[in-house]
Amino acid sequence: MAPQDLDFSSAAGDFSYGTDYAYDAGSGLTEDTVRYISGHKEEPRWLLEFRLEALELFRRLEMPDWAPMKKSDLDYENIRCYLARGDGTGNRWEDVPAEVKETFDRLGVPEQEKKFLAGVEAQFDSEMAYANLKDDLQRQGVIFVSSSEGLLRYESLFRPYFGTVVAAAENPFSALNGAVFSGGSFIYVPPGVKIDRPLQAYFRINAERSGQFERTLIVVGENARVTYLEGCTAPKFETATLHAAVVEVVVLAGAEVQYITVQNWSANVYNLVTKRALAHQNATVRWIDCNVGSRLTMKYPSVILAGEGASGSVLSISVAKDGQLQDTGARMVHRASKTHSRVVAKSLSIGGGSAIYRGTISMAGGFERCRSHSRCDGLLLREDSISRTFPHMDCGGTGNVIEHEASVSKISDEQLFYLRQRGIGESQALGLLVNGFFDELIREFPMEYGVELKRLIEMEMEKVTTAGEVSRG
Amino acid sequence: MEKSLDKGGTDGKVSPMDGALSLQNVCVDHGDRRLVRDFSLELRPEELRVLMGPNGAGKSSLLKALAGHPDYAISSGSVLLDGFSVAAASPEERARRGLFLAFQSPVALPGISLAQLLRAARQERLLPGKSLDIMAFYGELHGALDALGMDRSWSTRSTNDGFSGGEQKRCELLQILLLKPRYLLLDEIDSGLDVDALRLVVQTLRSLQQEGAGILLVTHYQRLLESLSPDGVHLLQDGSLLRSGGMELARELDVKGFQ
């Protein structure tokens, strides 16, 4: 595919259309809000109870001490929890309402679908506006629908796994998500089905002061394989916007999942996401997590290595510009023998931006021959840019090994001068240096995705040089 | 290269064919320290001039200042590059106009392969809207690697990253071959090289000179000069130009030292 087809840049995302919402839960967060959403979706009783319980948890829970924000930093009375046009989900772009279609056209979603995707979902505020899956995959029993549709149409596949990997009680925002979630994907891949081309979801916040609370559940049958890509953008509104998602991935024996995120929310979005995979025997999970946008991101993709021989990895890239805090990392929980985990996190801090890595690796006693390796590299563009690493490691059992390496470096004036002396302009030179720093990690990504990410980083570097955020001496 | 010639031809009074890199009463400051004083020199195409002097005399500082290093300011005097005053020009603009500085100890650029670096550098020399002919570029790159006795796999190595001294120098020469600068500022391109590598440097410099490049060479070694027959030898001491002469000056310095 041509690189320009997949555009996650914030410039490309900075637009919005006036839209009429037929269903609006209003501002604020009360039991009525929850009942409104659940009623509108015609959900079963058990789910309404789940939501109400989650709301109760949200009221009680506070953020952990180490968190860079408090629960009270956000004004929940002014967040619109549910906004839907009421058009339903189309499976042909022609059926998608014009202004919604225009949004996704401008973001290049339909073209990408034609070129290299096996299926696409596009969420507009609270609901999926479009969902389509290639016919041959449908025939093989693959399910790729919005989570709301998944729980109604495929309850026997959905319900046993829902809420089993990420508990609502885990943190205030997993609880909030449990109370008001809408949209997100439900994917089921039957045993032995290997999907080569990625399934993609595109998340779009269009309305000001709205919150997006999608919930994704992926169940991959034994020896099956799938790659899931998600991209996020929003226009730049004046007020803070909240994105609090929950992602649960269940990977049965011998199955493989690759979950790729390009997060490029505009700089006023609080992006508070709980993502976790449960890996059974010999299963493989790989999170590729790239955070370029948002005001604050807190996200630590994790893998519970529950079956012998399971392996999990997190490849994480963060870019923190002035005014941004990227608080990201990984969690690996070894709960069986011969499990392996690997974390490579690279962050770039620009201007007054902060990139924080938090990693937890735990190996409980009673298991043996587990290995884990983490590496965190921070690159600073200026002296006042911030990069911090908080690794936490518990190593029990026998013959288990946890390794951790960390480094912080700064782009030197000598490196910049060398490139400029070769005739390369300052922003291109910075782009080369930054992409050089990320290069060994990006090489591990699927190719079309790596190309696009590099281009996104180059564009960010152009903005940085124009804004004069690079120091001179 | 096309771009730099075009610009040189339109901006300057002097036509590029009989242009020069001309320094008049140049002073170089690093912070509040003056490192070079009232230095004047003219380097014409096809000329090779040698700058000698003890460590700390200001040779490297002068070259860096000419190339536009932000820490080395040309605080007075003028530098004309084919008639174009470089005073307000960025390092990249000076480079695109044909100035090349070969570094004494080139900085490592992890993750930036030689091919990537050179592609970017060549792309930036094209007129806006033109894009580089990739096939032709790789043809040239491979030709240059072959000519310098470097394996083709070099093109994918991170630039200067973990290179030995000799490898660093070859890498600088390779860039010269691909970027075809008009004026070369070579900071000890011969240091730390074995006899074979030295022979290669001599051959390369000679052919570049024949193709019209002007070369300003900083070196400590008279032996290299015997095979290069320079057009002038200049002695810099404590930041000032002390003497100028021909090969006889280089031989004298070799015997007597700088005192």
Side-chain angles (χ1 to χ4, degrees), chain A residues 285-357:
Chain A
V285 177
R286 184 152 86 147
W287 296 101
I288 294 181
D289 204 54
C290 304
N291 293 289
V292 178
S294 83
R295 172 161 162 194
L296 166 67
T297 285
M298 287 180 71
K299 183 170 26 156
Y300 321 94
S302 51
V303 184
I304 299 170
L305 299 151
E308 200 166 291
S311 69
S313 54
V314 173
L315 308 181
S316 167
I317 284 183
S318 304
V319 178
K321 297 182 291 292
D322 238 343
Q324 285 185 302
L325 172 54
Q326 304 285 10
D327 198 315
T328 60
R331 286 184 189 151
M332 294 291 178
V333 184
H334 292 255
R335 277 200 202 141
S337 294
K338 295 188 218 161
T339 48
H340 294 211
S341 64
R342 173 171 174 252
V343 178
V344 188
K346 284 181 175 264
S347 68
L348 168 69
S349 312
I350 303 166
S354 304
I356 294 179
Y357 169 83

Side-chain angles (χ1 to χ4, degrees), chain A residues 412-426 428-429 432-437 439 443 454 472-473, chain B residues 67-70 90-92 95-96 99-101 103 106-112 117 120-121 124-125 160 172 175:
Chain A
S412 73
D413 289 345
E414 294 307 315
Q415 289 174 319
L416 259 184
F417 178 62
Y418 189 95
L419 290 167
R420 295 179 73 185
Q421 207 299 306
R422 297 319 186 224
I424 299 169
E426 190 174 16
Q428 278 83 353
L432 279 171
L433 285 163
V434 168
N435 274 326
F437 167 73
D439 181 65
R443 272 167 199 270
K454 285 193 162 193
R472 290 272 47 121
Chain B
H69 192 295
S90 64
E92 53 270 34
R96 290 173 203 160
L99 198 62
F100 185 100
L101 170 60
F103 292 81
V107 64
L109 303 169
I112 305 179
L117 168 82
E124 296 235 356
R125 283 166 169 76
N160 303 325
E172 298 291 286
Q175 295 176 59

Side-chain angles (χ1 to χ4, degrees), chain A residues 88-110:
Chain A
T89 307
N91 61 6
R92 298 187 312 160
W93 281 108
E94 301 87 85
D95 300 339
V96 174
E99 69 229 61
V100 176
K101 179 172 183 294
E102 197 170 337
T103 297
F104 290 111
D105 276 341
R106 275 182 71 168
L107 295 166
V109 179

